[in-house]
Amino acid sequence: MAGVRGTRTKRTGAFDPEAPVRAAAVLQPDEAAHKAYRELINDMGVSGADVVRQALLTLHQQRRDMSAAQKRAALQEAV
């Protein structure tokens, strides 16, 4: 049974690690991201979902590397 129309569901920010996640992004034709998305699909020869997966993993790794670099810099300043 669907929820009551017009009400918002509560979002806790906690994700069930066993549940699949569906991400959606609408890329308008005039956006730079739209062109990049199409080029990556063609250049890599993979599906759009694989392009998004790779982009998420790359962004995550960059943020982890940045965080580690900031921690190292903070430790060096403390010395």
Side-chain angles (χ1 to χ4, degrees), residues 40 50-60:
L40 286 168
D50 286 335
V51 168
V52 172
R53 280 187 190 96
Q54 186 62 40
L56 285 171
L57 292 173
T58 301
L59 180 60
H60 183 254

Side-chain angles (χ1 to χ4, degrees), residues 26-36 38:
V26 178
L27 304 176
Q28 299 297 332
D30 60 340
E31 290 182 67
H34 184 272
K35 182 179 179 187
R38 290 290 179 198

Side-chain angles (χ1 to χ4, degrees), residues 33-48:
H34 184 272
K35 182 179 179 187
Y37 178 75
R38 290 290 179 198
E39 287 179 4
L40 286 168
I41 289 171
N42 291 329
D43 292 347
M44 295 172 67
V46 297
S47 69

